[in-house]
PDB file of all heavy atoms in Angstrom:
ATOM      1  N   THR A  44      26.238 -14.095  -5.100  1.00 51.00           N
ATOM      2  CA  THR A  44      26.672 -15.396  -5.618  1.00 51.00           C
ATOM      3  C   THR A  44      27.045 -15.301  -7.080  1.00 51.00           C
ATOM      4  O   THR A  44      28.054 -15.826  -7.534  1.00 51.00           O
ATOM      5  CB  THR A  44      25.550 -16.435  -5.424  1.00 51.00           C
ATOM      6  OG1 THR A  44      25.236 -16.507  -4.033  1.00 51.00           O
ATOM      7  CG2 THR A  44      25.997 -17.800  -5.907  1.00 51.00           C
ATOM      8  N   ASP A  45      26.209 -14.553  -7.813  1.00 49.00           N
ATOM      9  CA  ASP A  45      26.427 -14.439  -9.248  1.00 49.00           C
ATOM     10  C   ASP A  45      27.730 -13.701  -9.551  1.00 49.00           C
ATOM     11  O   ASP A  45      28.455 -14.045 -10.477  1.00 49.00           O
ATOM     12  CB  ASP A  45      25.251 -13.701  -9.883  1.00 49.00           C
ATOM     13  CG  ASP A  45      25.250 -13.830 -11.396  1.00 49.00           C
ATOM     14  OD1 ASP A  45      25.022 -14.949 -11.875  1.00 49.00           O
ATOM     15  OD2 ASP A  45      25.484 -12.814 -12.084  1.00 49.00           O
ATOM     16  N   THR A  46      28.027 -12.672  -8.718  1.00 47.00           N
ATOM     17  CA  THR A  46      29.252 -11.906  -8.931  1.00 47.00           C
ATOM     18  C   THR A  46      30.475 -12.776  -8.692  1.00 47.00           C
ATOM     19  O   THR A  46      31.504 -12.652  -9.357  1.00 47.00           O
ATOM     20  CB  THR A  46      29.283 -10.680  -7.997  1.00 47.00           C
ATOM     21  OG1 THR A  46      28.124  -9.889  -8.246  1.00 47.00           O
ATOM     22  CG2 THR A  46      30.529  -9.838  -8.233  1.00 47.00           C
ATOM     23  N   GLU A  47      30.365 -13.671  -7.691  1.00 49.00           N
ATOM     24  CA  GLU A  47      31.493 -14.546  -7.390  1.00 49.00           C
ATOM     25  C   GLU A  47      31.732 -15.567  -8.493  1.00 49.00           C
ATOM     26  O   GLU A  47      32.865 -15.879  -8.819  1.00 49.00           O
ATOM     27  CB  GLU A  47      31.245 -15.282  -6.065  1.00 49.00           C
ATOM     28  CG  GLU A  47      31.342 -14.379  -4.833  1.00 49.00           C
ATOM     29  CD  GLU A  47      31.134 -15.165  -3.560  1.00 49.00           C
ATOM     30  OE1 GLU A  47      30.609 -16.295  -3.668  1.00 49.00           O
ATOM     31  OE2 GLU A  47      31.491 -14.686  -2.481  1.00 49.00           O
ATOM     32  N   GLU A  48      30.650 -16.070  -9.067  1.00 62.00           N
ATOM     33  CA  GLU A  48      30.781 -17.181  -9.998  1.00 62.00           C
ATOM     34  C   GLU A  48      30.862 -16.733 -11.453  1.00 62.00           C
ATOM     35  O   GLU A  48      31.282 -17.503 -12.300  1.00 62.00           O
ATOM     36  CB  GLU A  48      29.580 -18.131  -9.834  1.00 62.00           C
ATOM     37  CG  GLU A  48      29.525 -18.788  -8.454  1.00 62.00           C
ATOM     38  CD  GLU A  48      28.309 -19.678  -8.313  1.00 62.00           C
ATOM     39  OE1 GLU A  48      27.472 -19.674  -9.245  1.00 62.00           O
ATOM     40  OE2 GLU A  48      28.185 -20.369  -7.291  1.00 62.00           O
ATOM     41  N   ARG A  49      30.443 -15.480 -11.745  1.00 65.00           N
ATOM     42  CA  ARG A  49      30.395 -15.039 -13.128  1.00 65.00           C
ATOM     43  C   ARG A  49      31.223 -13.767 -13.295  1.00 65.00           C
ATOM     44  O   ARG A  49      31.435 -13.026 -12.355  1.00 65.00           O
ATOM     45  CB  ARG A  49      28.957 -14.763 -13.558  1.00 65.00           C
ATOM     46  CG  ARG A  49      28.056 -16.000 -13.562  1.00 65.00           C
ATOM     47  CD  ARG A  49      26.623 -15.584 -13.845  1.00 65.00           C
ATOM     48  NE  ARG A  49      26.501 -14.806 -15.076  1.00 65.00           N
ATOM     49  CZ  ARG A  49      26.353 -15.358 -16.283  1.00 65.00           C
ATOM     50  NH1 ARG A  49      26.290 -16.675 -16.414  1.00 65.00           N
ATOM     51  NH2 ARG A  49      26.239 -14.605 -17.348  1.00 65.00           N
ATOM     52  N   ARG A  50      31.611 -13.510 -14.508  1.00 81.00           N
ATOM     53  CA  ARG A  50      32.355 -12.281 -14.785  1.00 81.00           C
ATOM     54  C   ARG A  50      31.442 -11.154 -15.237  1.00 81.00           C
ATOM     55  O   ARG A  50      31.900 -10.032 -15.441  1.00 81.00           O
ATOM     56  CB  ARG A  50      33.398 -12.546 -15.859  1.00 81.00           C
ATOM     57  CG  ARG A  50      32.846 -13.144 -17.124  1.00 81.00           C
ATOM     58  CD  ARG A  50      33.939 -13.346 -18.156  1.00 81.00           C
ATOM     59  NE  ARG A  50      33.455 -14.014 -19.349  1.00 81.00           N
ATOM     60  CZ  ARG A  50      34.102 -14.043 -20.504  1.00 81.00           C
ATOM     61  NH1 ARG A  50      35.269 -13.437 -20.597  1.00 81.00           N
ATOM     62  NH2 ARG A  50      33.612 -14.679 -21.524  1.00 81.00           N
ATOM     63  N   TRP A  51      30.142 -11.443 -15.414  1.00 89.00           N
ATOM     64  CA  TRP A  51      29.196 -10.423 -15.882  1.00 89.00           C
ATOM     65  C   TRP A  51      28.545  -9.735 -14.688  1.00 89.00           C
ATOM     66  O   TRP A  51      28.151 -10.391 -13.731  1.00 89.00           O
ATOM     67  CB  TRP A  51      28.120 -11.052 -16.764  1.00 89.00           C
ATOM     68  CG  TRP A  51      28.672 -11.916 -17.864  1.00 89.00           C
ATOM     69  CD1 TRP A  51      28.518 -13.244 -18.011  1.00 89.00           C
ATOM     70  CD2 TRP A  51      29.496 -11.490 -18.935  1.00 89.00           C
ATOM     71  NE1 TRP A  51      29.182 -13.707 -19.101  1.00 89.00           N
ATOM     72  CE2 TRP A  51      29.802 -12.629 -19.707  1.00 89.00           C
ATOM     73  CE3 TRP A  51      30.044 -10.263 -19.334  1.00 89.00           C
ATOM     74  CZ2 TRP A  51      30.596 -12.584 -20.842  1.00 89.00           C
ATOM     75  CZ3 TRP A  51      30.830 -10.206 -20.474  1.00 89.00           C
ATOM     76  CH2 TRP A  51      31.106 -11.355 -21.209  1.00 89.00           C
ATOM     77  N   PRO A  52      28.429  -8.407 -14.727  1.00 94.00           N
ATOM     78  CA  PRO A  52      27.942  -7.669 -13.550  1.00 94.00           C
ATOM     79  C   PRO A  52      26.441  -7.777 -13.296  1.00 94.00           C
ATOM     80  O   PRO A  52      25.991  -7.483 -12.185  1.00 94.00           O
ATOM     81  CB  PRO A  52      28.316  -6.214 -13.863  1.00 94.00           C
ATOM     82  CG  PRO A  52      28.389  -6.152 -15.358  1.00 94.00           C
ATOM     83  CD  PRO A  52      28.886  -7.491 -15.800  1.00 94.00           C
ATOM     84  N   LEU A  53      25.678  -8.184 -14.286  1.00 94.00           N
ATOM     85  CA  LEU A  53      24.236  -8.312 -14.115  1.00 94.00           C
ATOM     86  C   LEU A  53      23.820  -9.770 -14.166  1.00 94.00           C
ATOM     87  O   LEU A  53      24.528 -10.620 -14.725  1.00 94.00           O
ATOM     88  CB  LEU A  53      23.483  -7.543 -15.213  1.00 94.00           C
ATOM     89  CG  LEU A  53      23.647  -6.018 -15.260  1.00 94.00           C
ATOM     90  CD1 LEU A  53      22.922  -5.455 -16.472  1.00 94.00           C
ATOM     91  CD2 LEU A  53      23.136  -5.374 -13.990  1.00 94.00           C
ATOM     92  N   LEU A  54      22.668 -10.057 -13.596  1.00 92.00           N
ATOM     93  CA  LEU A  54      22.098 -11.400 -13.701  1.00 92.00           C
ATOM     94  C   LEU A  54      21.671 -11.667 -15.139  1.00 92.00           C
ATOM     95  O   LEU A  54      21.355 -10.742 -15.898  1.00 92.00           O
ATOM     96  CB  LEU A  54      20.888 -11.539 -12.786  1.00 92.00           C
ATOM     97  CG  LEU A  54      21.114 -11.321 -11.285  1.00 92.00           C
ATOM     98  CD1 LEU A  54      19.779 -11.348 -10.560  1.00 92.00           C
ATOM     99  CD2 LEU A  54      22.053 -12.381 -10.731  1.00 92.00           C
ATOM    100  N   ALA A  55      21.649 -12.936 -15.507  1.00 93.00           N
ATOM    101  CA  ALA A  55      21.245 -13.290 -16.867  1.00 93.00           C
ATOM    102  C   ALA A  55      19.849 -12.758 -17.180  1.00 93.00           C
ATOM    103  O   ALA A  55      19.586 -12.254 -18.284  1.00 93.00           O
ATOM    104  CB  ALA A  55      21.301 -14.807 -17.035  1.00 93.00           C
ATOM    105  N   GLU A  56      18.954 -12.841 -16.204  1.00 94.00           N
ATOM    106  CA  GLU A  56      17.588 -12.373 -16.432  1.00 94.00           C
ATOM    107  C   GLU A  56      17.555 -10.856 -16.595  1.00 94.00           C
ATOM    108  O   GLU A  56      16.727 -10.321 -17.350  1.00 94.00           O
ATOM    109  CB  GLU A  56      16.693 -12.795 -15.256  1.00 94.00           C
ATOM    110  CG  GLU A  56      15.201 -12.833 -15.572  1.00 94.00           C
ATOM    111  CD  GLU A  56      14.528 -11.476 -15.458  1.00 94.00           C
ATOM    112  OE1 GLU A  56      15.011 -10.645 -14.671  1.00 94.00           O
ATOM    113  OE2 GLU A  56      13.516 -11.242 -16.149  1.00 94.00           O
ATOM    114  N   GLU A  57      18.474 -10.169 -15.926  1.00 96.00           N
ATOM    115  CA  GLU A  57      18.519  -8.713 -16.055  1.00 96.00           C
ATOM    116  C   GLU A  57      18.988  -8.305 -17.447  1.00 96.00           C
ATOM    117  O   GLU A  57      18.518  -7.296 -17.997  1.00 96.00           O
ATOM    118  CB  GLU A  57      19.430  -8.119 -14.978  1.00 96.00           C
ATOM    119  CG  GLU A  57      18.844  -8.188 -13.579  1.00 96.00           C
ATOM    120  CD  GLU A  57      19.775  -7.601 -12.536  1.00 96.00           C
ATOM    121  OE1 GLU A  57      20.906  -8.140 -12.378  1.00 96.00           O
ATOM    122  OE2 GLU A  57      19.390  -6.624 -11.884  1.00 96.00           O
ATOM    123  N   TYR A  58      19.933  -9.043 -18.024  1.00 96.00           N
ATOM    124  CA  TYR A  58      20.353  -8.740 -19.393  1.00 96.00           C
ATOM    125  C   TYR A  58      19.170  -8.869 -20.340  1.00 96.00           C
ATOM    126  O   TYR A  58      18.977  -8.049 -21.240  1.00 96.00           O
ATOM    127  CB  TYR A  58      21.496  -9.657 -19.823  1.00 96.00           C
ATOM    128  CG  TYR A  58      22.839  -9.239 -19.279  1.00 96.00           C
ATOM    129  CD1 TYR A  58      23.394  -9.884 -18.187  1.00 96.00           C
ATOM    130  CD2 TYR A  58      23.543  -8.194 -19.857  1.00 96.00           C
ATOM    131  CE1 TYR A  58      24.621  -9.504 -17.670  1.00 96.00           C
ATOM    132  CE2 TYR A  58      24.780  -7.801 -19.360  1.00 96.00           C
ATOM    133  CZ  TYR A  58      25.315  -8.453 -18.264  1.00 96.00           C
ATOM    134  OH  TYR A  58      26.520  -8.056 -17.754  1.00 96.00           O
ATOM    135  N   ARG A  59      18.374  -9.921 -20.149  1.00 96.00           N
ATOM    136  CA  ARG A  59      17.202 -10.088 -21.017  1.00 96.00           C
ATOM    137  C   ARG A  59      16.169  -8.985 -20.770  1.00 96.00           C
ATOM    138  O   ARG A  59      15.577  -8.450 -21.710  1.00 96.00           O
ATOM    139  CB  ARG A  59      16.566 -11.460 -20.768  1.00 96.00           C
ATOM    140  CG  ARG A  59      17.402 -12.628 -21.265  1.00 96.00           C
ATOM    141  CD  ARG A  59      16.614 -13.925 -21.217  1.00 96.00           C
ATOM    142  NE  ARG A  59      16.286 -14.299 -19.845  1.00 96.00           N
ATOM    143  CZ  ARG A  59      17.055 -15.070 -19.079  1.00 96.00           C
ATOM    144  NH1 ARG A  59      18.214 -15.526 -19.550  1.00 96.00           N
ATOM    145  NH2 ARG A  59      16.691 -15.388 -17.839  1.00 96.00           N
TER     146      ARG A  59
END
Side-chain angles (χ1 to χ4, degrees):
T44 302
D45 193 68
T46 302
E47 289 182 343
E48 296 178 354
R49 296 173 54 86
R50 54 179 176 164
W51 309 115
L53 296 175
L54 300 174
E56 201 277 332
E57 289 180 298
Y58 281 101
R59 290 190 295 269

